[in-house]
Amino acid sequence: VADAGLMEQVSLSVTWALYAVGLVFVGIRRRFPPARYLAIGLFGVVVGKILLHDIAGLDRVYRMLSVLGVGVLLLVASYLYQRMAVERESAQ
């Protein structure tokens, strides 16, 4: 039962992180800054939740995979932001 609750919390964190990546994409595509700001805040909440709550109950392998997964999602979001900055510079 304890493992089921932990997996539920981890899957919730992954879902929030994927939603944040989607918000970054939509915010960039539609040029809507509030969506991007919400995504940054949501990423902060997800990273805090993972570091303070989820990792404590995971085994070593799952701990590494969860941190790696969140890191990859943060890299994707930062790539999208960088791409937006380059497009903005080329448009001016």
Side-chain angles (χ1 to χ4, degrees):
V1 175
D3 287 339
L6 181 61
M7 289 301 123
E8 180 182 340
Q9 290 299 313
V10 170
S11 64
L12 180 65
S13 298
V14 169
T15 303
W16 285 357
L18 290 173
Y19 181 67
V21 169
L23 281 174
V24 168
F25 182 76
V26 168
I28 289 171
R29 185 62 110 189
R30 295 189 180 183
R31 300 186 192 279
F32 189 61
R36 295 191 310 260
Y37 300 146
L38 179 62
I40 291 170
L42 188 57
F43 268 131
V45 169
V46 168
V47 169
K49 180 181 179 298
I50 288 173
L51 292 177
L52 297 174
H53 184 267
D54 295 347
I55 286 184
L58 292 176
D59 291 334
R60 187 179 309 172
V61 173
Y62 294 118
R63 190 177 299 166
M64 290 186 318
L65 289 175
S66 66
V67 170
L68 183 65
V70 171
V72 167
L73 290 175
L74 289 171
L75 284 173
V76 167
S78 66
Y79 171 76
L80 290 173
Y81 263 101
Q82 183 63 32
R83 187 173 157 195
M84 178 186 72
V86 168
E87 287 177 1
R88 213 181 263 171
E89 285 179 7
S90 65
Q92 292 178 355

